[in-house]
Amino acid sequence: MAVRRFGIKILLPLAVIAWTACSSDLIREDILPDKGCTLTVDATKSNATPDTRGLNPPVNNAINAIWSEGDQVVVLSSDNNVVLGNMVPTSYGSNQTKLKATLNRTVKKGDQLTLAFPRTGRDYTGQKGTLADIAANYDYATATVTVNYADDSFVSATDAHFTNLQSIVRFTLKKADNSDLPVKKLTIEADGLLQNTSPGSITITPKEATNDLYAAISGINNAAVKLTATDDKDIYTYTTAGTKTFADGKFYRITAKMQKKPRAYTDPLTFECFDNNKGSVWATGSGDLEYSKNGDEWKTYKSNQEISIIKGDVVRFRGTQATIGNSNSSNYMRIKCKAKCYIYGNIMSLLSKDNFATMTELPYAYTFQNLFQENTYIYHTEGKDLVLPATVLKKQCYYNMFNGCTNFTYLKCLATDIPSSNCTYNWLKGTPGKTSCIFVKAAGVDWPRNDSGIPDRWSVEEE
Protein backbone atom coordinates (compact mmCIF):
# COMPACT_ATOMS: atom_id res chain seq x y z
CA MET A 1 0.00 0.00 0.00
CA ALA A 2 1.23 3.50 -0.71
CA VAL A 3 1.90 5.89 2.15
CA ARG A 4 1.41 9.43 0.92
CA ARG A 5 3.54 11.63 3.15
CA PHE A 6 2.82 15.31 3.36
CA GLY A 7 0.70 15.69 0.25
CA ILE A 8 -0.48 19.09 1.46
CA LYS A 9 -1.03 22.26 -0.49
CA ILE A 10 0.64 25.48 0.64
CA LEU A 11 -1.15 28.75 1.07
CA LEU A 12 0.22 31.99 -0.38
CA PRO A 13 0.95 30.60 -2.97
CA LEU A 14 -0.23 27.02 -3.40
CA ALA A 15 2.44 24.34 -3.48
CA VAL A 16 3.21 20.87 -2.15
CA ILE A 17 5.27 20.33 0.99
CA ALA A 18 7.16 17.23 2.16
CA TRP A 19 9.49 16.88 5.14
CA THR A 20 11.80 14.27 6.65
CA ALA A 21 14.13 13.83 9.64
CA CYS A 22 16.80 11.62 11.15
CA SER A 23 16.44 10.68 14.82
CA SER A 24 17.86 7.21 15.34
CA ASP A 25 19.19 8.10 18.77
CA LEU A 26 15.65 8.60 20.07
CA ILE A 27 14.09 5.29 18.90
CA ARG A 28 13.26 2.81 21.66
CA GLU A 29 15.06 -0.20 20.27
CA ASP A 30 15.16 -1.83 23.70
CA ILE A 31 11.55 -2.98 23.30
CA LEU A 32 11.99 -4.70 19.94
CA PRO A 33 12.02 -8.53 20.05
CA ASP A 34 14.43 -10.78 18.17
CA LYS A 35 11.60 -11.85 15.93
CA GLY A 36 7.95 -11.04 15.31
CA CYS A 37 5.41 -10.24 12.62
CA THR A 38 6.46 -7.76 9.93
CA LEU A 39 4.51 -4.69 8.85
CA THR A 40 5.44 -3.43 5.38
CA VAL A 41 3.98 -0.42 3.54
CA ASP A 42 4.84 1.45 0.37
CA ALA A 43 5.82 5.02 1.20
CA THR A 44 6.07 8.07 -1.04
CA LYS A 45 7.39 11.57 -0.42
CA SER A 46 5.98 13.97 -2.97
CA ASN A 47 8.04 16.24 -5.22
CA ALA A 48 11.36 14.84 -4.01
CA THR A 49 14.75 15.84 -5.33
CA PRO A 50 16.77 12.59 -5.64
CA ASP A 51 20.22 14.11 -4.98
CA THR A 52 19.23 16.13 -1.91
CA ARG A 53 19.08 14.72 1.60
CA GLY A 54 16.37 15.77 4.03
CA LEU A 55 14.64 19.13 3.59
CA ASN A 56 15.93 21.33 0.81
CA PRO A 57 15.33 25.04 0.13
CA PRO A 58 11.99 25.89 -1.43
CA VAL A 59 11.63 25.63 -5.20
CA ASN A 60 8.46 27.26 -6.51
CA ASN A 61 7.47 27.73 -2.85
CA ALA A 62 7.62 24.01 -2.07
CA ILE A 63 9.89 22.28 0.43
CA ASN A 64 10.85 18.84 -0.89
CA ALA A 65 12.40 15.76 0.66
CA ILE A 66 13.63 12.23 -0.03
CA TRP A 67 13.88 9.10 2.04
CA SER A 68 17.27 8.94 3.75
CA GLU A 69 19.22 6.41 5.73
CA GLY A 70 18.35 6.88 9.40
CA ASP A 71 14.72 7.93 8.82
CA GLN A 72 12.37 6.15 11.21
CA VAL A 73 8.64 6.08 11.84
CA VAL A 74 7.30 4.93 15.21
CA VAL A 75 4.34 2.54 15.21
CA LEU A 76 1.97 3.11 18.16
CA SER A 77 -0.99 1.16 19.49
CA SER A 78 -4.49 2.54 19.01
CA ASP A 79 -4.37 4.31 22.38
CA ASN A 80 -0.92 5.75 21.57
CA ASN A 81 0.47 4.36 24.82
CA VAL A 82 2.53 1.44 23.51
CA VAL A 83 5.33 1.53 20.94
CA LEU A 84 4.82 -1.52 18.71
CA GLY A 85 7.87 -1.02 16.52
CA ASN A 86 9.94 1.31 14.37
CA MET A 87 9.54 1.50 10.60
CA VAL A 88 12.64 2.18 8.50
CA PRO A 89 12.99 2.73 4.76
CA THR A 90 14.42 -0.20 2.81
CA SER A 91 15.91 2.03 0.11
CA TYR A 92 17.15 5.63 0.05
CA GLY A 93 17.78 8.48 -2.31
CA SER A 94 14.37 8.87 -3.92
CA ASN A 95 10.88 9.86 -2.95
CA GLN A 96 9.63 6.25 -2.94
CA THR A 97 10.51 3.36 -0.67
CA LYS A 98 9.05 0.54 1.34
CA LEU A 99 8.81 1.09 5.08
CA LYS A 100 9.20 -2.04 7.17
CA ALA A 101 8.87 -2.73 10.89
CA THR A 102 9.11 -5.80 13.06
CA LEU A 103 6.29 -5.49 15.60
CA ASN A 104 6.90 -6.50 19.19
CA ARG A 105 3.37 -7.81 19.77
CA THR A 106 0.51 -9.20 17.76
CA VAL A 107 -2.20 -7.10 16.15
CA LYS A 108 -5.49 -8.12 14.60
CA LYS A 109 -7.66 -7.08 11.71
CA GLY A 110 -9.49 -3.83 12.45
CA ASP A 111 -6.87 -2.48 14.89
CA GLN A 112 -6.04 1.17 14.37
CA LEU A 113 -2.35 2.08 14.51
CA THR A 114 -0.73 5.50 14.70
CA LEU A 115 2.42 6.17 12.71
CA ALA A 116 4.52 9.00 14.21
CA PHE A 117 7.36 10.58 12.28
CA PRO A 118 10.13 10.83 13.36
CA ARG A 119 9.31 9.97 16.98
CA THR A 120 6.63 10.30 19.62
CA GLY A 121 6.21 13.59 21.48
CA ARG A 122 6.97 17.09 20.27
CA ASP A 123 9.53 19.66 21.36
CA TYR A 124 10.17 22.89 19.42
CA THR A 125 12.81 24.33 21.75
CA GLY A 126 16.43 24.85 20.75
CA GLN A 127 15.94 25.54 17.04
CA LYS A 128 18.93 26.73 14.99
CA GLY A 129 17.06 28.39 12.13
CA THR A 130 17.97 26.03 9.28
CA LEU A 131 16.03 23.46 7.25
CA ALA A 132 18.63 20.84 8.14
CA ASP A 133 18.01 21.41 11.84
CA ILE A 134 14.24 21.19 11.35
CA ALA A 135 14.69 17.98 9.35
CA ALA A 136 16.75 16.45 12.12
CA ASN A 137 14.75 17.54 15.15
CA TYR A 138 11.40 19.27 14.52
CA ASP A 139 9.69 17.51 11.59
CA TYR A 140 6.67 15.98 13.30
CA ALA A 141 3.84 14.18 11.44
CA THR A 142 1.32 11.45 12.19
CA ALA A 143 -0.96 9.10 10.30
CA THR A 144 -3.65 6.65 11.35
CA VAL A 145 -3.95 3.29 9.57
CA THR A 146 -6.28 0.33 10.00
CA VAL A 147 -4.99 -3.25 9.94
CA ASN A 148 -6.75 -5.12 7.10
CA TYR A 149 -4.79 -8.38 7.40
CA ALA A 150 -2.65 -9.99 10.09
CA ASP A 151 -1.10 -13.41 10.72
CA ASP A 152 1.92 -14.67 12.64
CA SER A 153 4.41 -13.27 10.17
CA PHE A 154 2.77 -10.58 8.03
CA VAL A 155 0.63 -7.51 8.62
CA SER A 156 -0.86 -5.14 6.04
CA ALA A 157 -2.75 -1.94 6.62
CA THR A 158 -4.64 0.78 4.81
CA ASP A 159 -2.84 3.65 3.14
CA ALA A 160 -1.27 6.11 5.53
CA HIS A 161 -1.93 9.79 4.90
CA PHE A 162 0.47 11.74 7.09
CA THR A 163 -0.57 15.07 8.60
CA ASN A 164 2.12 17.54 9.60
CA LEU A 165 1.94 18.92 13.12
CA GLN A 166 3.65 22.22 12.30
CA SER A 167 4.26 24.72 9.54
CA ILE A 168 7.62 25.99 8.38
CA VAL A 169 8.09 29.75 8.28
CA ARG A 170 11.04 31.54 6.73
CA PHE A 171 11.72 34.87 8.46
CA THR A 172 13.81 37.41 6.54
CA LEU A 173 14.88 40.21 8.87
CA LYS A 174 15.54 43.77 7.69
CA LYS A 175 16.51 47.03 9.38
CA ALA A 176 14.37 50.15 9.07
CA ASP A 177 16.43 51.22 6.03
CA ASN A 178 15.70 47.83 4.41
CA SER A 179 19.27 46.56 4.77
CA ASP A 180 19.84 43.03 6.05
CA LEU A 181 19.77 42.51 9.82
CA PRO A 182 21.96 39.54 10.83
CA VAL A 183 21.01 38.43 14.34
CA LYS A 184 22.26 35.93 16.88
CA LYS A 185 18.89 35.28 18.50
CA LEU A 186 15.26 35.48 17.39
CA THR A 187 12.32 35.01 19.76
CA ILE A 188 8.84 34.35 18.37
CA GLU A 189 5.74 35.10 20.47
CA ALA A 190 2.04 34.66 19.69
CA ASP A 191 -1.11 33.52 21.44
CA GLY A 192 -1.41 29.75 21.12
CA LEU A 193 2.15 29.18 19.94
CA LEU A 194 3.48 25.83 21.20
CA GLN A 195 6.93 25.51 22.71
CA ASN A 196 6.64 21.84 23.54
CA THR A 197 3.00 20.79 23.63
CA SER A 198 2.09 23.75 25.85
CA PRO A 199 1.83 27.45 24.94
CA GLY A 200 5.09 29.39 25.06
CA SER A 201 7.54 31.41 23.00
CA ILE A 202 10.18 29.91 20.71
CA THR A 203 13.77 31.15 20.65
CA ILE A 204 16.02 30.44 17.66
CA THR A 205 19.80 30.70 18.07
CA PRO A 206 21.68 30.26 14.78
CA LYS A 207 25.28 29.04 14.83
CA GLU A 208 26.30 32.26 13.06
CA ALA A 209 24.51 35.60 12.78
CA THR A 210 22.07 35.61 9.85
CA ASN A 211 19.01 37.49 8.65
CA ASP A 212 17.32 34.38 7.16
CA LEU A 213 15.92 31.92 9.68
CA TYR A 214 13.56 28.96 9.25
CA ALA A 215 11.25 28.04 12.12
CA ALA A 216 9.06 25.03 12.79
CA ILE A 217 5.90 26.54 14.25
CA SER A 218 2.73 25.03 15.62
CA GLY A 219 -0.35 26.52 17.25
CA ILE A 220 -0.66 30.02 15.76
CA ASN A 221 -4.23 30.57 14.63
CA ASN A 222 -5.50 34.08 13.91
CA ALA A 223 -3.01 35.75 16.28
CA ALA A 224 -0.58 38.66 16.09
CA VAL A 225 3.04 37.53 15.88
CA LYS A 226 5.78 39.43 17.73
CA LEU A 227 9.47 39.01 16.90
CA THR A 228 12.36 40.12 19.10
CA ALA A 229 15.87 39.88 17.68
CA THR A 230 19.30 40.69 19.06
CA ASP A 231 22.70 41.18 17.51
CA ASP A 232 25.88 41.90 19.45
CA LYS A 233 24.54 45.01 21.16
CA ASP A 234 21.03 46.06 20.11
CA ILE A 235 17.49 44.76 20.41
CA TYR A 236 15.04 44.90 17.48
CA THR A 237 11.30 44.23 17.49
CA TYR A 238 8.54 43.59 14.96
CA THR A 239 4.83 42.87 15.30
CA THR A 240 2.65 41.82 12.39
CA ALA A 241 0.20 44.49 11.25
CA GLY A 242 -2.66 41.99 11.48
CA THR A 243 -3.20 38.48 12.71
CA LYS A 244 -1.55 35.43 11.17
CA THR A 245 -2.48 31.78 10.83
CA PHE A 246 0.24 29.23 10.15
CA ALA A 247 -1.54 26.06 9.09
CA ASP A 248 0.12 22.72 9.78
CA GLY A 249 1.96 21.31 6.80
CA LYS A 250 2.37 24.61 4.98
CA PHE A 251 5.24 26.90 4.15
CA TYR A 252 5.22 30.67 4.63
CA ARG A 253 7.59 33.58 4.10
CA ILE A 254 7.64 36.71 6.26
CA THR A 255 9.88 39.71 5.62
CA ALA A 256 10.04 41.66 8.87
CA LYS A 257 11.27 45.26 8.93
CA MET A 258 12.56 45.41 12.48
CA GLN A 259 12.52 48.51 14.66
CA LYS A 260 15.51 49.16 16.88
CA LYS A 261 14.40 49.23 20.49
CA PRO A 262 15.61 52.26 22.42
CA ARG A 263 18.29 51.25 24.85
CA ALA A 264 17.29 51.78 28.44
CA TYR A 265 19.40 54.32 30.34
CA THR A 266 18.09 53.85 33.83
CA ASP A 267 20.27 56.24 35.84
CA PRO A 268 18.70 59.68 36.34
CA LEU A 269 20.85 62.77 35.97
CA THR A 270 23.47 62.37 38.69
CA PHE A 271 26.17 64.45 40.38
CA GLU A 272 28.79 62.52 42.36
CA CYS A 273 31.13 64.67 44.44
CA PHE A 274 34.84 63.80 44.45
CA ASP A 275 36.10 67.10 45.86
CA ASN A 276 38.11 67.19 49.08
CA ASN A 277 36.35 70.46 49.95
CA LYS A 278 32.76 70.97 50.95
CA GLY A 279 30.42 72.36 48.34
CA SER A 280 26.91 72.30 46.94
CA VAL A 281 24.81 71.66 43.86
CA TRP A 282 21.67 73.59 42.98
CA ALA A 283 19.28 74.47 40.16
CA THR A 284 17.40 77.58 39.09
CA GLY A 285 14.08 77.89 37.27
CA SER A 286 13.42 74.28 38.18
CA GLY A 287 9.63 73.97 38.05
CA ASP A 288 8.45 70.46 38.90
CA LEU A 289 11.69 68.85 40.08
CA GLU A 290 12.69 66.26 42.68
CA TYR A 291 16.04 65.23 44.14
CA SER A 292 17.51 62.33 46.07
CA LYS A 293 20.74 62.44 48.06
CA ASN A 294 22.74 59.27 48.71
CA GLY A 295 19.84 57.01 47.84
CA ASP A 296 17.35 58.60 50.23
CA GLU A 297 13.70 59.03 49.26
CA TRP A 298 12.84 61.55 46.57
CA LYS A 299 11.99 65.05 47.80
CA THR A 300 10.48 68.11 46.15
CA TYR A 301 13.15 70.54 45.02
CA LYS A 302 12.70 74.30 45.37
CA SER A 303 14.41 76.67 42.95
CA ASN A 304 17.88 77.82 44.12
CA GLN A 305 17.86 75.35 47.01
CA GLU A 306 21.52 74.51 47.65
CA ILE A 307 22.16 70.84 48.41
CA SER A 308 25.35 70.56 50.47
CA ILE A 309 27.81 67.90 49.32
CA ILE A 310 31.13 66.44 50.42
CA LYS A 311 33.36 63.83 48.82
CA GLY A 312 31.36 60.64 48.11
CA ASP A 313 27.93 62.28 48.13
CA VAL A 314 25.61 61.45 45.22
CA VAL A 315 22.72 63.73 44.20
CA ARG A 316 20.14 62.69 41.59
CA PHE A 317 17.50 64.80 39.85
CA ARG A 318 14.23 63.94 38.16
CA GLY A 319 11.14 65.89 37.09
CA THR A 320 7.87 65.90 35.20
CA GLN A 321 8.04 68.31 32.25
CA ALA A 322 10.13 70.60 34.41
CA THR A 323 10.39 74.24 33.29
CA ILE A 324 13.75 73.94 31.61
CA GLY A 325 13.80 75.91 28.39
CA ASN A 326 10.33 75.82 26.89
CA SER A 327 10.51 79.39 25.65
CA ASN A 328 13.19 81.72 24.33
CA SER A 329 13.42 83.73 27.52
CA SER A 330 15.40 83.94 30.72
CA ASN A 331 13.10 81.40 32.37
CA TYR A 332 15.32 78.45 31.56
CA MET A 333 16.78 75.97 33.98
CA ARG A 334 20.44 76.09 35.06
CA ILE A 335 22.25 73.50 37.19
CA LYS A 336 25.40 74.65 39.00
CA CYS A 337 28.01 73.21 41.36
CA LYS A 338 30.41 74.52 43.98
CA ALA A 339 32.39 71.29 44.21
CA LYS A 340 34.02 68.96 41.71
CA CYS A 341 31.46 66.38 40.55
CA TYR A 342 31.30 63.54 38.12
CA ILE A 343 28.20 64.08 35.99
CA TYR A 344 26.41 61.10 34.44
CA GLY A 345 23.04 59.50 33.80
CA ASN A 346 20.12 60.18 31.47
CA ILE A 347 19.33 63.86 30.92
CA MET A 348 15.71 62.93 30.14
CA SER A 349 15.07 62.29 33.84
CA LEU A 350 14.46 66.05 34.08
CA LEU A 351 11.47 65.60 31.76
CA SER A 352 9.82 62.38 32.91
CA LYS A 353 10.55 60.83 36.27
CA ASP A 354 8.71 57.63 35.34
CA ASN A 355 9.51 56.99 31.67
CA PHE A 356 12.90 58.63 31.11
CA ALA A 357 14.82 55.33 30.73
CA THR A 358 13.59 54.79 27.16
CA MET A 359 12.46 58.32 26.30
CA THR A 360 13.85 59.58 22.97
CA GLU A 361 11.64 62.57 22.13
CA LEU A 362 12.05 66.17 23.25
CA PRO A 363 8.72 67.79 24.21
CA TYR A 364 9.45 71.31 22.97
CA ALA A 365 12.05 73.70 21.55
CA TYR A 366 14.77 75.24 23.77
CA THR A 367 14.51 72.20 26.05
CA PHE A 368 17.99 72.13 27.59
CA GLN A 369 19.39 75.44 26.44
CA ASN A 370 22.13 76.85 28.72
CA LEU A 371 21.53 73.99 31.18
CA PHE A 372 25.15 73.60 32.35
CA GLN A 373 26.64 76.75 30.87
CA GLU A 374 29.90 77.83 32.59
CA ASN A 375 29.69 75.01 35.12
CA THR A 376 33.42 74.43 35.53
CA TYR A 377 32.93 71.76 38.21
CA ILE A 378 31.54 68.93 36.09
CA TYR A 379 33.80 66.03 35.03
CA HIS A 380 33.52 62.59 33.48
CA THR A 381 34.62 59.30 35.04
CA GLU A 382 35.14 56.00 33.26
CA GLY A 383 32.03 53.84 32.94
CA LYS A 384 29.59 56.55 34.04
CA ASP A 385 28.35 58.47 31.01
CA LEU A 386 26.17 61.51 30.50
CA VAL A 387 23.60 60.49 27.85
CA LEU A 388 21.46 62.68 25.60
CA PRO A 389 19.19 60.03 23.99
CA ALA A 390 16.83 62.29 22.00
CA THR A 391 16.83 61.20 18.35
CA VAL A 392 15.23 64.29 16.76
CA LEU A 393 16.55 67.67 17.87
CA LYS A 394 14.36 70.75 18.09
CA LYS A 395 15.03 74.47 17.80
CA GLN A 396 17.86 75.52 20.13
CA CYS A 397 17.26 72.48 22.34
CA TYR A 398 20.97 72.17 23.27
CA TYR A 399 21.86 75.85 22.68
CA ASN A 400 24.96 76.80 24.78
CA MET A 401 24.31 73.68 26.87
CA PHE A 402 27.95 73.06 27.89
CA ASN A 403 29.42 76.39 26.81
CA GLY A 404 32.24 77.29 29.18
CA CYS A 405 32.38 73.89 30.91
CA THR A 406 36.17 73.88 30.97
CA ASN A 407 36.53 70.40 32.51
CA PHE A 408 33.78 68.62 30.57
CA THR A 409 35.38 65.86 28.44
CA TYR A 410 32.76 63.23 27.50
CA LEU A 411 29.30 63.28 25.92
CA LYS A 412 27.04 60.61 24.42
CA CYS A 413 24.51 62.22 22.07
CA LEU A 414 22.34 59.80 20.06
CA ALA A 415 20.60 62.31 17.78
CA THR A 416 19.88 61.04 14.27
CA ASP A 417 18.05 64.13 12.96
CA ILE A 418 19.74 67.53 13.44
CA PRO A 419 17.64 70.15 11.61
CA SER A 420 20.08 73.07 11.98
CA SER A 421 23.16 74.19 13.82
CA ASN A 422 21.01 76.33 16.08
CA CYS A 423 19.98 73.12 17.83
CA THR A 424 23.49 72.86 19.21
CA TYR A 425 24.77 76.40 18.77
CA ASN A 426 28.09 76.77 20.65
CA TRP A 427 27.04 73.94 22.94
CA LEU A 428 30.62 72.69 23.44
CA LYS A 429 32.43 76.00 23.09
CA GLY A 430 35.09 76.44 25.77
CA THR A 431 35.38 72.73 26.59
CA PRO A 432 38.89 71.21 26.58
CA GLY A 433 40.26 70.87 23.05
CA LYS A 434 41.98 67.54 23.64
CA THR A 435 42.00 64.22 21.80
CA SER A 436 41.30 62.58 25.17
CA CYS A 437 37.81 64.16 25.03
CA ILE A 438 35.27 61.71 23.60
CA PHE A 439 32.05 62.28 21.70
CA VAL A 440 29.83 59.19 21.20
CA LYS A 441 27.31 59.54 18.37
CA ALA A 442 24.66 57.42 16.69
CA ALA A 443 26.07 55.27 13.89
CA GLY A 444 26.03 56.87 10.44
CA VAL A 445 25.23 60.43 11.59
CA ASP A 446 27.38 63.23 10.22
CA TRP A 447 28.25 66.05 12.61
CA PRO A 448 30.09 69.30 11.79
CA ARG A 449 33.52 69.57 13.43
CA ASN A 450 33.23 72.82 15.37
CA ASP A 451 31.91 74.20 18.66
CA SER A 452 28.34 73.81 17.38
CA GLY A 453 28.93 70.16 16.53
CA ILE A 454 31.90 68.08 17.63
CA PRO A 455 34.96 70.14 18.61
CA ASP A 456 37.87 69.62 16.23
CA ARG A 457 40.24 67.73 18.53
CA TRP A 458 37.64 65.56 20.26
CA SER A 459 37.79 61.86 19.47
CA VAL A 460 34.64 60.36 17.94
CA GLU A 461 33.10 56.96 18.65
CA GLU A 462 29.85 55.35 17.47
CA GLU A 463 27.19 53.85 19.71
Side-chain angles (χ1 to χ4, degrees), residues 61-364:
N61 293 297
I63 294 180
N64 304 317
I66 61 171
W67 289 106
S68 304
E69 185 174 4
D71 287 351
Q72 300 198 37
V73 176
V74 180
V75 183
L76 300 170
S77 60
S78 57
D79 58 6
N80 294 334
N81 290 328
V82 179
V83 176
L84 303 180
N86 301 295
M87 306 192 79
V88 296
T90 58
S91 61
Y92 319 114
S94 73
N95 66 326
Q96 294 185 340
T97 190
K98 287 184 180 294
L99 291 177
K100 181 179 289 188
T102 300
L103 304 184
N104 59 44
R105 64 185 61 195
T106 60
V107 295
K108 63 182 184 298
K109 182 179 179 179
D111 283 352
Q112 285 193 328
L113 307 177
T114 298
L115 307 184
F117 183 88
R119 57 185 177 273
T120 59
R122 279 189 286 164
D123 181 357
Y124 296 105
T125 60
Q127 297 187 49
K128 300 301 179 184
T130 66
L131 287 176
D133 181 56
I134 294 174
N137 300 293
Y138 308 101
D139 179 20
Y140 300 103
T142 62
T144 300
V145 300
T146 302
V147 175
N148 54 28
Y149 177 83
D151 60 24
D152 290 340
S153 60
F154 178 75
V155 176
S156 66
T158 57
D159 291 357
H161 301 280
F162 278 81
T163 300
N164 293 85
L165 302 180
Q166 64 285 311
S167 61
I168 292 181
V169 182
R170 178 182 178 179
F171 293 100
T172 300
L173 309 184
K174 299 285 186 178
K175 294 182 180 179
D177 63 2
N178 213 39
S179 61
D180 291 345
L181 175 60
V183 300
K184 293 187 174 181
K185 183 169 69 173
L186 174 68
T187 298
I188 306 166
E189 300 174 87
D191 289 342
L193 176 64
L194 298 181
Q195 184 184 54
N196 294 318
T197 54
S198 301
S201 62
I202 291 174
T203 297
I204 298 174
T205 53
K207 290 183 178 180
E208 296 181 355
T210 179
N211 76 308
D212 271 318
L213 302 103
Y214 290 87
I217 289 179
S218 185
I220 297 181
N221 181 25
N222 196 31
V225 179
K226 179 181 178 181
L227 307 179
T228 303
T230 59
D231 55 15
D232 283 327
K233 60 179 182 179
D234 294 312
I235 299 174
Y236 296 82
T237 61
Y238 169 86
T239 302
T240 55
T243 59
K244 296 290 182 181
T245 295
F246 296 140
D248 292 343
K250 300 185 178 175
F251 172 63
Y252 301 85
R253 301 172 187 264
I254 288 184
T255 298
K257 187 172 287 188
M258 310 289 287
Q259 297 297 318
K260 186 176 177 180
K261 186 177 180 180
R263 186 174 298 185
Y265 295 99
T266 57
D267 288 330
L269 179 62
T270 302
F271 294 81
E272 180 179 333
C273 182
F274 68 96
D275 203 322
N276 290 322
N277 300 311
K278 294 181 180 180
S280 60
V281 58
W282 76 99
T284 62
S286 59
D288 181 9
L289 193 66
E290 297 177 346
Y291 76 99
S292 171
K293 181 178 177 180
N294 297 332
D296 291 343
E297 65 180 17
W298 291 93
K299 300 176 181 178
T300 299
Y301 181 83
K302 297 180 180 179
S303 182
N304 288 305
Q305 173 187 348
E306 291 199 30
I307 303 170
S308 60
I309 51 176
I310 59 173
K311 187 174 182 178
D313 282 344
V314 176
V315 177
R316 296 179 171 88
F317 289 101
R318 70 181 189 183
T320 303
Q321 299 296 305
T323 303
I324 297 175
N326 60 349
S327 65
N328 190 11
S329 69
S330 60
N331 188 29
Y332 49 74
M333 183 177 181
R334 296 280 295 274
I335 299 180
K336 302 179 181 181
C337 301
K338 286 183 180 178
K340 295 177 180 179
C341 291
Y342 299 127
I343 182 174
Y344 54 90
N346 188 340
I347 195 72
M348 303 299 248
S349 70
L350 299 178
L351 303 177
S352 174
K353 65 181 181 181
D354 298 318
N355 301 313
F356 72 89
T358 56
M359 188 176 178
T360 60
E361 183 176 353
L362 296 172
Y364 36 64

Side-chain angles (χ1 to χ4, degrees), residues 426-447:
N426 278 345
W427 70 327
L428 291 172
K429 183 178 181 180
T431 57
K434 301 178 181 179
T435 56
S436 58
C437 299
I438 297 174
F439 189 101
V440 181
K441 68 184 184 70
V445 178
D446 292 328
W447 283 84

